[in-house]
């Protein structure tokens, strides 16, 4: 026995704690430990590869969002990390006896800053069912309007009534600030769309089993229902929260650098985020706020951002109109000063990116009506002078037509 050596590392029985033998093969305890570590690492790699199917890391999620949403860098980082953590939680709701709680998200920002687009873009990358609900249409039980369970019905419908798939989907509740408790300011009657709706949303936000009508509303006694578990449903709530804080504090709390994580050396006061007490003062109940731990704030888009929104995203408005004109055999071009004029008009209206389409549609309508009937038009150039009505639109005709004339 004193002559035994490990066939893997060559160490003798005197150099290690123990050597295990099987017929003519020998292995020491150290090599067994090394092999065990290698096997464990390979197993983790396989689990991660399996887990990563359909789920990207935060940096890749943000890169995807960059293709659709201009600006809002810190908000995109917050959402990317929150989404990644949420789907790790679905895979491992309990890890090493630690229960990982759900982290729903609240998006706070002015209208047209990209709240809804961020939520839709997230659902697209995850390839999961996605539903949008408007909080202004919700009422508490017993009153005319939509009930909170109708939100889950929409998610179920978007999953083609596949209950397992729907239970891992994403729900975006817009205008969440409109269900703030208004009872104190109301002159009479109950606030049926305020605190009562917040109370109704608590259970589905936290995660629980709810009977959901397959079609219609729970107010219909004949509606067929199904038991829906919201434990793994990610809720993203969005709202403008106009007047959340005073003017001075508003500037401070909506300062671009304040979103995301504090860096060492940053002025904590200047980086101050929206706090729970601000939301409570606005009219949200503490229980509701407690179920939405992740808050991401979006800034108003600058004129430069609005110009980028017009031309950079994959589904940019300019690209859509260029495709429409190309189907008619014409090129469509916008001069830089024209894009700036459109962005300035949207900025003056105070509706952010949401107002861009309406402005462009108004500009393009007469052209879309007249140009298909014009022969030989090769390109149409939109300039600032045309937008302001100083000149007609610039048209470039095919060379063959010019020679024939």
């Amino acid at each position: 026995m004193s002559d035994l050596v490990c066939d893997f590392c060559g160490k003798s029985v005197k150099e290690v704690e123990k050597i295990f033998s099987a017929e003519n093969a020998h292995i020491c305890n150290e090599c067994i430990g090394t092999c065990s570590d290698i096997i464990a690492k390979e197993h983790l790699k396989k689990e991660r590869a399996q887990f990563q199917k359909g789920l990207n890391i935060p940096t890749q999620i943000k890169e995807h969002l960059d293709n659709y949403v201009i600006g809002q860098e810190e908000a995109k980082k917050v959402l990317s990390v929150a989404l990644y953590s949420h789907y790790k939680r679905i895979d491992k709701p309990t890890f090493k006896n630690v229960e990982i709680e759900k982290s729903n998200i609240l998006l706070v920002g002015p209208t047209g800053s990209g709240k809804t687009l961020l939520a839709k873009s997230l659902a697209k990358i995850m390839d999961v069912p996605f539903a949008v609900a408007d909080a202004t249409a919700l009422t508490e039980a017993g009153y005319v309007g939509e009930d909170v369970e109708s939100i889950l019905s929409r998610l179920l419908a978007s999953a083609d009534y596949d209950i397992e798939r729907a239970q891992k989907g994403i729900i975006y509740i817009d205008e969440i600030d409109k269900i703030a408790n208004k009872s104190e300011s109301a002159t009479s009657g109950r606030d049926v769309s305020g605190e009562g709706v917040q109370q109704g949303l608590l259970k589905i936000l936290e995660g629980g089993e709810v009977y959901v009508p397959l079609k219609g509303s729970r107010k219909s006694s004949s509606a067929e229902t199904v038991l829906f578990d919201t434990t793994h449903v990610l809720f993203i709530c969005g709202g403008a929260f106009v007047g959340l804080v005073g003017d001075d504090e508003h500037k401070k709390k909506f300062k671009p650098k304040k979103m995301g994580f504090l860096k060492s050396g940053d002025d904590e006061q200047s980086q101050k985020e929206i706090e729970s007490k601000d939301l409570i003062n606005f009219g949200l109940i503490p229980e509701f706020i407690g179920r939405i731990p992740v808050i991401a704030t979006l800034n108003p888009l600058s004129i430069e951002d609005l110009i980028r929104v017009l031309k950079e995203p994959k589904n940019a408005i300019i690209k859509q109109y260029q495709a429409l004109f190309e189907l008619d055999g014409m090129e469509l071009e916008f001069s830089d000063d024209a894009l700036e004029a459109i962005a300035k008009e949207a900025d003056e209206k105070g509706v952010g990116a949401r107002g861009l389409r309406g402005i462009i549609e108004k500009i393009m309508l007469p052209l879309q009506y007249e140009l298909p009937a014009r022969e030989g038009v090769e390109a149409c150039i939109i300039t600032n002078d045309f937008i302001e009505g100083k000149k007609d639109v610039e048209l470039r005709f095919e060379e063959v037509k010019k020679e024939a004339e």
Side-chain angles (χ1 to χ4, degrees):
M1 292 291 293
S2 59
D3 296 329
L4 283 179
V5 295
C6 176
D7 294 330
F8 290 84
C9 66
K11 291 181 179 180
S12 68
V13 68
K14 296 179 181 179
E15 296 174 289
V16 295
E17 291 183 7
K18 191 173 184 64
I19 288 183
F20 298 88
S21 301
E23 295 183 354
N24 297 324
H26 312 284
I27 183 171
C28 69
N29 63 288
E30 293 180 0
C31 288
I32 289 175
T34 301
C35 291
S36 178
D37 290 340
I38 293 172
I39 291 172
K41 288 179 181 178
E42 289 298 319
H43 181 67
L44 284 174
K45 285 182 180 179
K46 287 182 180 179
E47 279 194 339
R48 182 176 177 83
Q50 180 68 25
F51 169 63
Q52 286 289 356
K53 288 182 179 178
L55 176 62
N56 292 3
I57 58 177
T59 52
Q60 292 174 331
I61 295 174
K62 183 183 176 298
E63 287 175 6
H64 167 82
L65 294 177
D66 288 339
N67 291 327
Y68 296 93
V69 182
I70 296 299
Q72 316 300 0
E73 296 300 310
E74 291 299 328
K76 285 188 281 193
K77 288 179 183 178
V78 172
L79 282 170
S80 299
V81 171
L83 187 74
Y84 183 66
S85 298
H86 175 73
Y87 282 95
K88 279 197 293 187
R89 173 186 174 277
I90 289 179
D91 187 63
K92 300 283 185 182
T94 302
F95 183 69
K96 292 186 176 180
N97 296 323
V98 176
E99 185 176 350
I100 305 173
E101 295 183 352
K102 180 164 65 169
S103 295
N104 297 312
I105 304 165
L106 175 64
L107 300 179
V108 180
T111 181
S113 57
K115 298 186 294 294
T116 307
L117 183 58
L118 277 171
K120 288 182 177 180
S121 300
L122 284 176
K124 192 177 296 183
I125 192 176
M126 299 311 302
D127 189 27
V128 295
F130 177 76
V132 178
D134 192 333
T136 58
L138 299 176
T139 58
E140 64 176 290
Y143 290 85
V144 176
E146 291 190 30
D147 46 65
V148 294
E149 287 83 358
S150 66
I151 299 174
L152 300 177
S153 295
R154 293 183 184 184
L155 185 63
L156 192 59
S158 70
D160 293 327
Y161 298 96
D162 182 341
I163 186 70
E164 293 296 326
R165 190 162 178 261
Q167 289 176 159
K168 295 181 181 179
I170 297 175
I171 291 178
Y172 177 69
I173 307 177
D174 202 6
E175 307 284 1
I176 200 70
D177 52 321
K178 301 301 189 296
I179 63 168
N181 187 3
K182 312 178 190 70
S183 58
E184 293 181 3
S185 60
T187 55
S188 63
R190 276 186 67 111
D191 177 25
V192 300
S193 63
E195 184 175 338
V197 174
Q198 294 183 52
Q199 295 284 358
L201 286 170
L202 293 181
K203 185 176 182 180
I204 67 171
L205 286 173
E206 184 175 22
E209 293 184 335
V210 182
Y211 282 100
V212 177
L214 288 177
K215 294 181 181 179
S217 169
R218 67 152 184 249
K219 297 182 175 75
S220 172
S221 59
S222 61
E224 182 183 355
T225 60
V226 62
L227 194 60
F228 194 111
D229 187 355
T230 65
T231 301
H232 298 312
V233 175
L234 179 64
F235 288 87
I236 304 174
C237 302
F241 289 90
V242 177
L244 179 63
V245 288
D247 291 339
D248 292 339
E249 282 296 308
H250 181 82
K251 293 175 183 177
K252 191 180 294 179
K253 292 186 178 183
F254 279 83
K255 200 171 181 179
K257 291 184 178 179
K258 73 115 189 84
M259 298 178 297
F261 306 98
L262 281 174
K263 299 178 182 178
S264 58
D266 283 343
D267 180 6
E268 187 174 352
Q269 183 64 25
S270 66
Q271 295 282 329
K272 188 177 181 181
E273 298 204 17
I274 292 172
E275 299 174 355
S276 297
K277 64 180 182 181
D278 298 320
L279 297 170
I280 292 172
N281 291 336
F282 190 83
L284 297 182
I285 60 176
E287 299 90 337
F288 185 84
I289 297 168
R291 286 161 175 79
I292 312 178
V294 179
I295 300 176
T297 48
L298 287 78
N299 301 299
L301 296 176
S302 66
I303 292 175
E304 290 74 19
D305 290 332
L306 291 172
I307 293 173
R308 293 180 60 200
V309 169
L310 283 170
K311 59 183 183 180
E312 289 186 16
K314 283 188 174 180
N315 58 344
I317 306 171
I318 297 301
K319 293 179 181 177
Q320 294 179 38
Y321 274 95
Q322 287 173 334
L324 289 172
F325 270 63
E326 190 173 343
L327 291 172
D328 283 328
M330 292 178 284
E331 294 180 12
L332 177 64
E333 300 174 13
F334 283 80
S335 65
D336 292 339
D337 60 349
L339 294 177
E340 185 176 354
I342 294 169
K344 283 182 177 178
E345 185 176 345
D347 183 63
E348 289 170 0
K349 289 184 176 180
V351 290
R354 187 168 285 127
L356 292 173
R357 177 172 289 277
I359 295 169
I360 291 183
E361 285 184 352
K362 185 178 179 181
I363 294 169
M364 300 303 298
L365 178 61
L367 299 177
Q368 288 179 293
Y369 178 75
E370 296 174 8
L371 291 185
R374 299 278 297 271
E375 293 186 5
V377 178
E378 184 180 68
C380 174
I381 301 95
I382 308 297
T383 63
N384 185 37
D385 286 339
F386 170 70
I387 293 174
E388 294 181 353
K390 295 178 181 179
K391 292 183 180 180
D392 290 336
V393 68
E394 292 186 13
L395 299 177
R396 187 168 64 241
F397 293 86
E398 296 175 4
E399 292 295 328
V400 176
K401 288 290 180 183
K402 284 187 176 182
E403 291 175 3
E405 290 174 1

